[in-house]
Amino acid sequence: MDKTADLLPPSLEAAILKLDPEDGEQIMEYFKTHALLSREKALLQTSVREQKKLLVENAKLKKDIEQLRGQLQDKQRRRSVKAPPPRSLSPAPESPVSQPIREKQSRRKRGERKGEEDSLSLGAESRDDVSRLDLRVGRILSVRRHPLANALTVQEVDVGENAPRTVVSQLGGTTHLEQLQGSLAVLLCNVKACKLRGVVSQARLMCCSAPDDYVELLAPPTGSAPGDRVTFLNYPGEPDRELQAKERVWELVQRHLQVDSRGVANYKRCGFEVKGKGLCRAPSLTSCPIR
């Protein structure tokens, strides 16, 4: 699909070709390329403004949470302070029946306070977001059908390491697999290696899919190189060394991964970005999930 076909009106193209039949096509290609670059620049600027706005809102929310947490901790400290006993010349002896009840209530209150403190601690340490994924740019060196499963393909991918990684994928309705050889892609590199029909897969290709099972690989921005990190402005944490299956991090994050109406890959409206080079996109699909 020619992405520049709708950038210039047909009347202008006809006029240029009429004025200069010999070089008219080269002039039109120049105008189309310039218009496409201008559109890409405008989209990138809009995305950066949205990300900065979200960053400010997140900072405000974090400040509000810290204030609420401080208020809750102050309240807990006040509750833990014991009230002074009432002054009495001859205090009445405590009933043998009421003493076990009071001890049980005291233990229950201590347990409630401990549970509240534990929940606050777990909330502070929880980080189930996209920053835990190790996403990198890779170059597909070769692609072939799986020897034991026609629905699967096997790729050798350079992700900037000493040796390429073997990746087993299910590309669905993707055609012309030979065209993928030499192209750049986005890979999830900290999944646990697993054997799929006898072939060990060491990473995951990030794809987007249409309802008719047509699949496209996410495309890194122009100028990307194997090994470049894909990061997220609003989620600056470091990725896990290896994602643990029992924590289900991929399942929690994947439901928020999608290609928006402009074709930009994002997590909760925050774009997949290769720093200094631009945003990752789908070649032609829009408004679809990423898997």
Side-chain angles (χ1 to χ4, degrees):
M1 180 181 295
D2 186 359
K3 297 182 179 179
T4 64
D6 60 344
L7 295 177
L8 297 175
S11 59
L12 177 59
E13 182 175 1
I16 293 177
L17 291 174
K18 184 176 181 181
L19 289 174
D20 193 344
E22 295 183 358
D23 298 328
E25 291 186 359
Q26 295 182 357
I27 294 173
M28 286 302 302
E29 286 298 324
Y30 170 78
F31 282 142
K32 289 179 180 179
T33 302
H34 182 73
L36 181 59
L37 290 175
S38 298
R39 175 183 289 182
E40 292 288 334
K41 182 178 179 181
L43 288 175
L44 182 58
Q45 290 174 343
T46 301
S47 177
V48 170
R49 285 197 297 270
E50 292 176 355
Q51 291 172 359
K52 288 182 178 178
K53 181 179 178 181
L54 289 174
L55 191 60
V56 172
E57 292 176 354
N58 286 343
K60 184 177 183 301
L61 287 175
K62 289 180 180 179
K63 183 177 179 181
D64 293 342
I65 291 172
E66 290 297 329
Q67 290 177 348
L68 292 173
R69 183 176 296 161
Q71 293 174 3
L72 181 58
Q73 291 174 347
D74 290 341
K75 185 176 180 180
Q76 291 173 350
R77 283 194 293 268
R78 289 197 297 270
R79 288 174 56 187
S80 63
V81 175
K82 295 181 179 180
R87 295 183 180 181
S88 176
L89 295 177
S90 56
E94 187 174 2
S95 170
V97 177
S98 64
Q99 184 175 358
I101 297 176
R102 289 185 58 185
E103 290 179 354
K104 185 176 181 180
Q105 291 175 345
S106 178
R107 287 196 299 269
R108 184 181 300 170
K109 289 181 179 180
R110 287 198 299 269
E112 290 175 354
R113 287 197 295 270
K114 183 177 179 181
E116 291 174 356
E117 292 172 358
D118 289 345
S119 64
L120 284 174
S121 176
L122 289 173
E125 295 176 359
S126 177
R127 185 172 64 90
D128 292 332
D129 60 52
V130 73
S131 64
R132 297 182 65 177
L133 306 185
D134 182 7
L135 295 170
R136 302 186 219 164
V137 174
R139 186 179 299 279
I140 300 175
L141 303 179
S142 65
V143 56
R144 65 183 187 277
R145 291 290 180 185
H146 193 291
L148 301 178
N150 291 332
L152 300 178
T153 59
V154 181
Q155 295 79 221
E156 298 294 328
V157 187
D158 175 14
V159 291
E161 299 173 333
N162 293 332
R165 293 197 185 197
T166 301
V167 182
V168 179
S169 306
Q170 185 173 0
L171 299 182
T174 303
T175 57
H176 307 299
L177 294 178
E178 64 277 3
Q179 295 180 2
L180 298 179
Q181 184 169 336
S183 62
L184 293 176
V186 178
L187 289 95
L188 176 58
C189 294
N190 59 343
V191 292
K192 187 175 182 180
C194 61
K195 185 175 290 188
L196 298 174
R197 300 294 299 272
V199 179
V200 176
S201 181
Q202 301 170 306
R204 182 187 185 99
L205 277 173
M206 303 298 290
C207 310
C208 55
S209 58
D212 59 356
D213 290 336
Y214 175 73
V215 176
E216 288 184 346
L217 301 182
L218 291 186
T222 302
S224 299
D228 284 350
R229 282 282 312 280
V230 177
T231 57
F232 300 81
L233 181 63
N234 297 343
Y235 303 91
E238 288 298 318
D240 292 9
R241 183 174 182 180
E242 182 179 275
L243 297 177
Q244 301 299 318
K246 62 182 180 180
E247 296 184 19
R248 301 177 62 83
V249 176
W250 167 248
E251 288 80 358
L252 293 172
V253 173
Q254 191 267 335
R255 67 183 67 173
H256 300 292
L257 301 178
Q258 63 177 354
V259 174
D260 63 18
S261 59
R262 300 172 299 163
V264 177
N266 67 84
Y267 169 80
K268 294 184 177 181
R269 297 189 298 174
C270 183
F272 286 52
E273 180 181 6
V274 178
K275 287 187 177 179
K277 298 177 182 178
L279 301 173
C280 300
R281 299 174 177 274
S284 65
L285 294 177
T286 59
S287 302
C288 59
I290 297 173
R291 61 175 178 83

